[in-house]
Amino acid sequence: MEKSKQINCLPSKLSFLKRATLCKNLAAQRLCAYIARKQTNLVLAADVTDSKTLLRLAEQFGPLICLLKTHVDILVDFTADLTEQLRAVANKHGFLICEDRKFADIGSTTQHQLYGGLYQIAKWADFITAHTIAGASMLESLYHNPYQNNASSFSSPGIFLIVEMSTIGQLADSEYARKSLIIANQYPDLIAGFIGQSTFNQNPQYLQLTPGIQLTASKNQDGFGQCYRTPKQAIQSNGTDLIIVGRGILEAEAPYQQAEIYRQLAWAAYKDNVS
Ligand code: 5BU
């Protein structure tokens, strides 16, 4: 019997140190260790459009976060040098990097998007995000680096499968979530966890991340359908492990202080869960 099946309670009731021993994905194990050591389950969504600002945010918020979530395809000045600098800042402050690329294509195309092209994501990201819409075959393709006979022999980052989204009218339902979990279980060493809004995962080897977080709950506040819930709602009512915050921090009057407030709220909610 798998170790994780012996644990008979919701994943969010277990400490991150315990979860680290249950995760089969190596990057997820490292993430749990960072979370426990730094006492932070806060992820910063660094949605900015130039490299200098991205590096500044990584440096500034590095001490407060466990994971930096990027969208490198919105940068106007992306270079490979940026990713090296970003990795150095991540190592210095002890956080990991997730490129929120939301892969969703057929396997053959996805391989090239992950391992090749301008961004060479697999070379520098600890995690990526992917939709399950294309089915298990797409994940199968990610195991294989089509360039590995060349200079690049790196393997796939850990994957967070997107099971449901934070927008009004998003299409994924509980059946989609159930089937996504089945797919995840076919690739336990590759899948680090899920991105979603509700409680759908009972397996502590997977981490759950939730975006759409602000200090006040709201619907469609940005006019483009984004819905927000509070850190406490996400962690205590919806059983998530990590909160992802972007504009709630970046657009605050005092962003660093605001990030610390999110960190404290999220950490207190986690501690309540495991107590
Ligand atoms: P915000 O500024 O906190 O609303 O940013 C949220 C971030 O999370 C942003 O980078 C989105 O791309 C990302 N996101 C999301 O908002 N909702 C989702 O369902 C997923 C990702 Br998946």
Side-chain angles (χ1 to χ4, degrees):
M1 190 189 231
E2 281 180 9
K3 227 177 176 182
S4 55
K5 299 237 174 77
Q6 296 164 5
I7 305 289
N8 192 20
C9 68
L10 278 175
S12 57
K13 297 277 175 205
L14 300 173
S15 73
F16 284 110
L17 280 178
K18 179 73 193 168
R19 302 282 291 279
T21 67
L22 300 172
C23 294
K24 296 200 169 66
N25 176 259
L26 296 180
Q29 287 175 14
R30 282 175 61 214
L31 182 57
C32 287
Y34 278 146
I35 293 171
R37 178 157 61 77
K38 291 176 72 179
Q39 304 203 340
T40 177
N41 46 348
L42 173 64
V43 182
L44 179 69
D47 292 344
V48 292
T49 55
D50 70 277
S51 302
K52 204 171 149 200
T53 310
L54 180 57
L55 284 169
R56 183 176 56 72
L57 293 181
E59 186 64 58
Q60 182 184 5
F61 294 99
L64 298 183
I65 60 174
C66 57
L67 186 66
L68 184 76
K69 192 178 79 60
T70 56
H71 283 295
V72 288
D73 55 358
I74 65 173
L75 294 171
V76 293
D77 56 355
F78 175 87
T79 59
D81 187 49
L82 161 73
T83 60
E84 278 170 33
Q85 292 184 57
L86 209 49
R87 285 249 51 105
V89 180
N91 293 342
K92 176 174 149 192
H93 290 299
F95 63 81
L96 298 181
I97 302 173
C98 175
E99 167 56 21
D100 189 6
R101 174 61 183 73
K102 299 186 176 71
F103 293 96
D105 213 317
I106 61 166
S108 164
T109 304
T110 309
Q111 274 188 327
H112 292 289
Q113 291 170 325
L114 176 62
Y115 292 102
L118 177 63
Y119 302 116
Q120 305 227 325
I121 295 167
K123 205 169 183 176
W124 52 268
D126 299 291
F127 301 99
I128 53 169
T129 58
H131 288 285
T132 42
I133 188 77
S137 56
M138 190 262 257
L139 295 178
E140 183 67 42
S141 79
L142 297 180
Y143 268 120
H144 310 290
N145 178 351
Y147 305 99
Q148 68 189 359
N149 294 329
N150 303 338
S152 56
S153 60
F154 39 89
S155 56
S156 176
I159 299 177
F160 291 119
L161 287 178
I162 299 166
V163 165
E164 51 188 358
M165 294 196 65
S166 57
T167 38
I168 288 179
Q170 66 91 40
L171 298 178
D173 57 14
S174 56
E175 187 58 8
Y176 185 83
R178 192 185 66 78
K179 288 180 178 168
S180 298
L181 261 67
I182 292 172
I183 289 178
N185 285 333
Q186 293 172 38
Y187 302 93
D189 54 334
L190 189 61
I191 305 302
F194 306 103
I195 302 202
Q197 301 291 313
S198 53
T199 311
F200 52 82
N201 170 42
Q202 310 289 324
N203 186 336
Q205 84 186 44
Y206 302 120
L207 295 169
Q208 184 175 330
L209 283 65
T210 296
I213 302 286
Q214 286 204 351
L215 295 183
T216 311
S218 67
K219 281 198 161 86
N220 198 23
Q221 197 208 78
D222 66 359
F224 294 112
Q226 177 70 306
C227 299
Y228 289 111
R229 63 192 64 195
T230 67
K232 193 170 175 175
Q233 281 171 335
I235 293 171
Q236 291 189 343
S237 309
N238 305 117
T240 205
D241 300 306
L242 284 77
I243 57 162
I244 300 174
V245 188
R247 287 166 288 184
I249 290 172
L250 300 180
E251 294 180 358
E253 266 177 37
Y256 187 86
Q257 285 82 346
Q258 195 77 345
E260 174 58 9
I261 290 171
Y262 278 100
R263 188 197 67 78
Q264 284 179 13
L265 287 171
W267 192 252
Y270 153 72
K271 293 297 276 183
D272 272 3
N273 272 355
V274 294
S275 66

